[in-house]
Amino acid sequence: MPFSDYRTALVTGANTGMGAEIAEMFTKRGLRVYGLARNAERLREVAGRTGMTPLAVDVTDTAALTEAVSGLEIDVLVNNAGVSATGNLRAVLHLCRLLLPGMVERDLGHVINISSIAGHYNFYGHTAYHATKAAVHQLSRQLRNDTIGRRIRVTEICPGRVETEIFGRNLGGTPEAMQRAWDTYYADFESVTTKDIADSIEFAVESPRHVNLGLMEIMPTFQVPGGLEFVQRKD
Ligand SMILES: NC(=O)c1ccc[n+]([C@@H]2O[C@H](COP(=O)([O-])OP(=O)(O)OC[C@H]3O[C@@H](n4cnc5c(N)ncnc54)[C@H](OP(=O)(O)O)[C@@H]3O)[C@@H](O)[C@H]2O)c1
């Protein structure tokens, strides 16, 4: 679909990490972008740099989320905001409920859901995160069925390790935690960058209108999927 077919995008988690990069890419491609996150100051900083329209909202506050998007005609919805411990499934469902009917009516739209390799593979980690990301995967597949016959595309982006604040936030979000996360998870590794993710999304959106890129698994070359461990016990 040429970018010119789309006019608007909504990106959740748009004040840092992948979301900010995706929002910036869309503004460069000429879309009017609504960027949503909780921290208004950081949102304003990205808005000032990119021209996106900031929406300071907590996605877990369904009433505020509903009010923020009411009346908006969104062509590209990027469900990106997520927290590692509890996931963001409810907000993803609500945003689809709120914005997909308009896409169906206009016969035009693209939903991009950011899942994780945690939704596809089992390895040591946060159980709720694995479960909610698996649900985001299944939801993405289901939306294709629910919108059959309409020119609505659904792309699941399934990243491995990407250089963002996510691990530092998990460790508490303090400057020390951010540094510890950097040292532990990034310093000695070659991770995927947020630009790599935005580039992949750009490719999926720009694909011809008869092509739906359903699932893109994007991992560092040196990271492998899975995590099969075999514990030996003799007692
Ligand atoms: N980084 C990785 O290695 C990795 C790998 C696989 C999948 N992912 C997934 O990729 C997505 C983006 O992650 P990231 O690494 O870019 O994370 P990040 O750098 O920690 O950014 C998270 C973004 O989500 C926003 N956010 C968090 N909770 C929110 C809430 N309740 N309401 C509104 N906004 C909220 C944050 O802004 P505020 O705090 O200001 O609200 C921020 O903009 C997530 O779904 C994550 O699970 C990440």
Side-chain angles (χ1 to χ4, degrees):
M1 192 92 73
F3 260 90
S4 54
D5 282 10
Y6 295 129
R7 295 167 300 115
T8 55
L10 176 78
V11 182
T12 66
N15 65 8
T16 184
M18 297 183 211
E21 194 80 42
I22 297 162
E24 182 165 1
M25 179 272 292
F26 281 145
T27 55
K28 281 185 181 152
R29 295 303 306 255
L31 303 192
R32 169 148 197 203
V33 178
Y34 298 88
L36 194 148
R38 290 168 301 184
N39 187 315
E41 202 181 317
R42 298 188 76 185
L43 211 46
R44 269 196 301 275
E45 188 273 316
V46 179
R49 179 159 52 79
T50 63
M52 78 175 184
T53 304
L55 298 174
V57 178
D58 184 335
V59 293
T60 64
D61 182 344
T62 306
L65 190 63
T66 305
E67 197 186 324
V69 304
S70 85
L72 296 184
E73 277 191 2
I74 299 298
D75 296 330
V76 185
L77 166 63
V78 184
N79 285 307
N80 164 73
V83 283
S84 190
T86 53
N88 61 343
L89 180 60
R90 203 150 35 125
V92 174
L93 289 167
H94 281 303
L95 280 172
C96 289
R97 174 180 64 78
L98 292 164
L99 298 175
L100 201 57
M103 294 182 188
V104 169
E105 204 179 305
R106 297 192 299 281
D107 196 26
L108 180 85
H110 200 144
V111 179
I112 296 164
N113 292 328
I114 313 292
S115 64
S116 166
I117 53 167
H120 291 254
Y121 306 105
N122 299 104
F123 48 86
Y124 176 80
H126 302 285
T127 301
Y129 187 66
H130 281 253
T132 53
K133 289 300 191 184
V136 169
H137 163 64
Q138 203 52 248
L139 170 70
S140 306
R141 287 261 192 266
Q142 188 58 36
L143 288 176
R144 292 275 296 133
N145 286 268
D146 293 346
T147 56
I148 188 167
R150 294 280 155 182
R151 213 177 288 287
I152 292 170
R153 301 184 295 174
V154 184
T155 301
E156 175 191 350
I157 300 288
C158 173
R161 189 177 297 175
V162 185
E163 258 180 43
T164 71
E165 296 177 3
I166 195 166
F167 292 107
R169 286 174 187 257
N170 289 348
L171 295 178
T174 60
E176 298 74 38
M178 296 315 242
Q179 186 59 50
R180 194 148 39 91
W182 177 266
D183 295 341
T184 309
Y185 298 105
Y186 294 124
D188 297 327
F189 299 97
E190 218 178 76
S191 301
V192 167
T193 68
T194 55
K195 179 157 189 315
D196 298 323
I197 299 295
D199 287 348
S200 303
I201 291 175
E202 188 173 21
F203 180 76
V205 172
E206 206 161 31
S207 296
R209 60 172 62 204
H210 63 279
V211 176
N212 184 89
L213 271 163
L215 170 61
M216 298 173 91
E217 182 184 282
I218 307 158
M219 294 180 70
T221 303
F222 292 156
Q223 185 181 29
V224 295
L228 189 61
E229 288 187 44
F230 204 154
V231 179
Q232 203 177 41
R233 243 187 102 165
K234 292 202 166 31
D235 62 335

